[in-house]
mmCIF file of all heavy atoms in Angstrom:
data_model
loop_
_atom_site.group_PDB
_atom_site.id
_atom_site.type_symbol
_atom_site.label_atom_id
_atom_site.label_comp_id
_atom_site.label_asym_id
_atom_site.label_seq_id
_atom_site.Cartn_x
_atom_site.Cartn_y
_atom_site.Cartn_z
ATOM 1 N N PRO G 8 3.149 19.009 3.715
ATOM 2 C CA PRO G 8 3.150 19.706 2.421
ATOM 3 C C PRO G 8 4.528 20.209 1.997
ATOM 4 O O PRO G 8 5.298 20.723 2.803
ATOM 5 C CB PRO G 8 2.186 20.879 2.660
ATOM 6 C CG PRO G 8 1.284 20.390 3.750
ATOM 7 C CD PRO G 8 2.158 19.557 4.647
ATOM 8 N N VAL G 10 6.806 22.248 -1.368
ATOM 9 C CA VAL G 10 6.674 23.333 -2.342
ATOM 10 C C VAL G 10 7.546 23.011 -3.546
ATOM 11 O O VAL G 10 8.731 22.690 -3.392
ATOM 12 C CB VAL G 10 7.099 24.694 -1.746
ATOM 13 C CG1 VAL G 10 6.900 25.806 -2.776
ATOM 14 C CG2 VAL G 10 6.301 25.003 -0.480
ATOM 15 N N HIS G 26 0.334 44.182 -4.207
ATOM 16 C CA HIS G 26 -0.911 44.934 -4.329
ATOM 17 C C HIS G 26 -1.884 44.260 -5.302
ATOM 18 O O HIS G 26 -2.573 44.925 -6.086
ATOM 19 C CB HIS G 26 -0.648 46.376 -4.751
ATOM 20 C CG HIS G 26 0.048 47.187 -3.696
ATOM 21 N ND1 HIS G 26 0.667 48.405 -3.960
ATOM 22 C CD2 HIS G 26 0.243 46.960 -2.366
ATOM 23 C CE1 HIS G 26 1.196 48.880 -2.847
ATOM 24 N NE2 HIS G 26 0.956 48.031 -1.862
ATOM 25 N N MET G 46 -0.379 39.778 -1.698
ATOM 26 C CA MET G 46 -0.961 40.713 -0.728
ATOM 27 C C MET G 46 0.049 41.720 -0.208
ATOM 28 O O MET G 46 -0.304 42.661 0.499
ATOM 29 C CB MET G 46 -1.567 39.926 0.437
ATOM 30 C CG MET G 46 -2.726 39.036 0.010
ATOM 31 S SD MET G 46 -3.456 38.131 1.396
ATOM 32 C CE MET G 46 -2.161 36.929 1.725
ATOM 33 N N ASP G 66 -17.691 38.781 -10.789
ATOM 34 C CA ASP G 66 -16.933 37.620 -10.328
ATOM 35 C C ASP G 66 -16.881 36.505 -11.364
ATOM 36 O O ASP G 66 -16.537 35.373 -11.030
ATOM 37 C CB ASP G 66 -17.550 37.071 -9.032
ATOM 38 C CG ASP G 66 -17.449 38.058 -7.882
ATOM 39 O OD1 ASP G 66 -16.434 38.785 -7.842
ATOM 40 O OD2 ASP G 66 -18.363 38.092 -7.039
ATOM 41 N N HIS G 75 -0.011 48.607 -24.081
ATOM 42 C CA HIS G 75 0.705 49.874 -24.059
ATOM 43 C C HIS G 75 1.738 49.941 -25.177
ATOM 44 O O HIS G 75 2.119 51.038 -25.605
ATOM 45 C CB HIS G 75 1.413 50.056 -22.710
ATOM 46 C CG HIS G 75 0.509 49.896 -21.531
ATOM 47 N ND1 HIS G 75 -0.452 50.831 -21.187
ATOM 48 C CD2 HIS G 75 0.410 48.891 -20.617
ATOM 49 C CE1 HIS G 75 -1.098 50.425 -20.108
ATOM 50 N NE2 HIS G 75 -0.597 49.249 -19.750
ATOM 51 N N ARG G 80 -0.179 39.675 -32.094
ATOM 52 C CA ARG G 80 -1.479 39.103 -31.756
ATOM 53 C C ARG G 80 -1.541 37.609 -32.042
ATOM 54 O O ARG G 80 -2.317 36.892 -31.421
ATOM 55 C CB ARG G 80 -2.594 39.838 -32.516
ATOM 56 C CG ARG G 80 -2.688 41.317 -32.156
ATOM 57 C CD ARG G 80 -2.883 41.504 -30.658
ATOM 58 N NE ARG G 80 -2.803 42.902 -30.243
ATOM 59 C CZ ARG G 80 -3.845 43.707 -30.142
ATOM 60 N NH1 ARG G 80 -5.052 43.267 -30.466
ATOM 61 N NH2 ARG G 80 -3.696 44.955 -29.741
ATOM 62 N N VAL G 90 11.778 22.058 -26.091
ATOM 63 C CA VAL G 90 10.460 22.355 -26.657
ATOM 64 C C VAL G 90 10.368 23.819 -27.097
ATOM 65 O O VAL G 90 10.714 24.729 -26.335
ATOM 66 C CB VAL G 90 9.348 22.056 -25.627
ATOM 67 C CG1 VAL G 90 7.977 22.371 -26.212
ATOM 68 C CG2 VAL G 90 9.424 20.603 -25.172
ATOM 69 N N ASP G 107 4.538 27.852 -14.212
ATOM 70 C CA ASP G 107 4.732 27.211 -12.905
ATOM 71 C C ASP G 107 4.750 25.690 -12.996
ATOM 72 O O ASP G 107 5.077 25.010 -12.008
ATOM 73 C CB ASP G 107 3.650 27.661 -11.917
ATOM 74 C CG ASP G 107 2.248 27.369 -12.399
ATOM 75 O OD1 ASP G 107 2.035 27.247 -13.609
ATOM 76 O OD2 ASP G 107 1.343 27.268 -11.543
ATOM 77 N N ARG G 113 9.747 18.489 -14.921
ATOM 78 C CA ARG G 113 11.065 17.962 -14.579
ATOM 79 C C ARG G 113 10.942 16.766 -13.632
ATOM 80 O O ARG G 113 11.670 15.778 -13.758
ATOM 81 C CB ARG G 113 11.935 19.059 -13.950
ATOM 82 C CG ARG G 113 12.225 20.208 -14.906
ATOM 83 C CD ARG G 113 13.121 21.265 -14.262
ATOM 84 N NE ARG G 113 13.200 22.452 -15.106
ATOM 85 C CZ ARG G 113 13.995 22.573 -16.161
ATOM 86 N NH1 ARG G 113 14.801 21.572 -16.493
ATOM 87 N NH2 ARG G 113 14.008 23.688 -16.878
ATOM 88 N N PRO G 124 15.170 -0.405 -17.637
ATOM 89 C CA PRO G 124 15.354 -0.418 -19.090
ATOM 90 C C PRO G 124 14.518 -1.515 -19.756
ATOM 91 O O PRO G 124 14.372 -2.618 -19.227
ATOM 92 C CB PRO G 124 16.855 -0.705 -19.246
ATOM 93 C CG PRO G 124 17.458 -0.287 -17.951
ATOM 94 C CD PRO G 124 16.429 -0.565 -16.895
ATOM 95 N N ASP G 126 12.665 -2.518 -24.008
ATOM 96 C CA ASP G 126 12.589 -2.158 -25.420
ATOM 97 C C ASP G 126 11.441 -1.195 -25.697
ATOM 98 O O ASP G 126 11.384 -0.575 -26.762
ATOM 99 C CB ASP G 126 12.412 -3.423 -26.273
ATOM 100 C CG ASP G 126 13.625 -4.330 -26.217
ATOM 101 O OD1 ASP G 126 14.728 -3.811 -25.956
ATOM 102 O OD2 ASP G 126 13.465 -5.547 -26.413
ATOM 103 N N LEU G 134 -3.777 14.399 -19.434
ATOM 104 C CA LEU G 134 -5.195 14.752 -19.486
ATOM 105 C C LEU G 134 -5.355 16.252 -19.263
ATOM 106 O O LEU G 134 -4.670 16.836 -18.438
ATOM 107 C CB LEU G 134 -5.973 13.980 -18.419
ATOM 108 C CG LEU G 134 -5.989 12.460 -18.577
ATOM 109 C CD1 LEU G 134 -6.643 11.793 -17.366
ATOM 110 C CD2 LEU G 134 -6.732 12.063 -19.853
ATOM 111 N N ALA G 165 -1.501 22.540 -29.853
ATOM 112 C CA ALA G 165 -0.508 21.571 -29.381
ATOM 113 C C ALA G 165 0.218 20.922 -30.561
ATOM 114 O O ALA G 165 1.449 20.748 -30.530
ATOM 115 C CB ALA G 165 -1.189 20.514 -28.523
ATOM 116 N N ASN G 168 2.620 23.344 -31.936
ATOM 117 C CA ASN G 168 3.817 23.429 -31.099
ATOM 118 C C ASN G 168 4.744 22.237 -31.335
ATOM 119 O O ASN G 168 5.969 22.381 -31.294
ATOM 120 C CB ASN G 168 3.423 23.512 -29.625
ATOM 121 C CG ASN G 168 2.888 24.879 -29.235
ATOM 122 O OD1 ASN G 168 3.216 25.882 -29.865
ATOM 123 N ND2 ASN G 168 2.061 24.928 -28.214
ATOM 124 N N ASP G 176 6.936 13.968 -35.669
ATOM 125 C CA ASP G 176 7.015 12.529 -35.896
ATOM 126 C C ASP G 176 7.152 11.739 -34.601
ATOM 127 O O ASP G 176 7.336 10.515 -34.626
ATOM 128 C CB ASP G 176 8.188 12.188 -36.817
ATOM 129 C CG ASP G 176 9.530 12.654 -36.255
ATOM 130 O OD1 ASP G 176 9.532 13.440 -35.279
ATOM 131 O OD2 ASP G 176 10.577 12.231 -36.793
ATOM 132 N N GLN G 197 -8.400 -2.055 -21.006
ATOM 133 C CA GLN G 197 -7.330 -2.670 -20.209
ATOM 134 C C GLN G 197 -5.946 -2.100 -20.567
ATOM 135 O O GLN G 197 -4.950 -2.815 -20.607
ATOM 136 C CB GLN G 197 -7.348 -4.194 -20.365
ATOM 137 C CG GLN G 197 -8.644 -4.823 -19.868
ATOM 138 C CD GLN G 197 -8.616 -6.331 -19.925
ATOM 139 O OE1 GLN G 197 -8.095 -6.934 -20.865
ATOM 140 N NE2 GLN G 197 -9.169 -6.967 -18.899
ATOM 141 N N ARG G 212 -16.339 22.306 -20.382
ATOM 142 C CA ARG G 212 -17.271 21.568 -21.226
ATOM 143 C C ARG G 212 -16.503 20.653 -22.166
ATOM 144 O O ARG G 212 -15.471 21.035 -22.702
ATOM 145 C CB ARG G 212 -18.144 22.519 -22.053
ATOM 146 C CG ARG G 212 -19.196 23.267 -21.240
ATOM 147 C CD ARG G 212 -20.094 24.094 -22.147
ATOM 148 N NE ARG G 212 -21.121 24.780 -21.397
ATOM 149 C CZ ARG G 212 -22.311 24.256 -21.081
ATOM 150 N NH1 ARG G 212 -22.600 23.027 -21.472
ATOM 151 N NH2 ARG G 212 -23.191 24.953 -20.399
ATOM 152 N N ILE G 229 -10.028 10.157 -10.985
ATOM 153 C CA ILE G 229 -8.857 9.611 -10.303
ATOM 154 C C ILE G 229 -9.003 8.104 -10.116
ATOM 155 O O ILE G 229 -8.030 7.350 -10.217
ATOM 156 C CB ILE G 229 -8.630 10.311 -8.953
ATOM 157 C CG1 ILE G 229 -8.313 11.801 -9.171
ATOM 158 C CG2 ILE G 229 -7.500 9.647 -8.178
ATOM 159 C CD1 ILE G 229 -7.065 12.059 -9.979
ATOM 160 N N LEU G 245 -1.228 15.441 -10.033
ATOM 161 C CA LEU G 245 -2.492 16.168 -10.121
ATOM 162 C C LEU G 245 -2.294 17.587 -9.619
ATOM 163 O O LEU G 245 -1.827 17.795 -8.497
ATOM 164 C CB LEU G 245 -3.555 15.458 -9.270
ATOM 165 C CG LEU G 245 -4.847 16.228 -8.979
ATOM 166 C CD1 LEU G 245 -5.660 16.463 -10.253
ATOM 167 C CD2 LEU G 245 -5.680 15.484 -7.935
ATOM 168 N N LEU G 255 -4.324 18.722 1.147
ATOM 169 C CA LEU G 255 -4.536 17.529 1.957
ATOM 170 C C LEU G 255 -5.734 16.729 1.461
ATOM 171 O O LEU G 255 -5.723 15.492 1.496
ATOM 172 C CB LEU G 255 -4.738 17.920 3.420
ATOM 173 C CG LEU G 255 -3.549 18.624 4.100
ATOM 174 C CD1 LEU G 255 -3.911 19.008 5.523
ATOM 175 C CD2 LEU G 255 -2.318 17.750 4.073
ATOM 176 N N ALA G 303 12.117 14.936 -4.605
ATOM 177 C CA ALA G 303 12.319 16.396 -4.565
ATOM 178 C C ALA G 303 11.291 17.107 -5.418
ATOM 179 O O ALA G 303 10.733 16.541 -6.341
ATOM 180 C CB ALA G 303 13.725 16.728 -5.052
#
Side-chain angles (χ1 to χ4, degrees):
V10 182
H26 292 164
M46 296 181 288
D66 295 326
H75 307 288
R80 298 304 172 92
V90 180
D107 58 336
R113 296 181 190 279
D126 294 334
L134 296 173
N168 285 335
D176 59 348
Q197 298 184 321
R212 288 185 178 273
I229 296 299
L245 167 66
L255 298 177

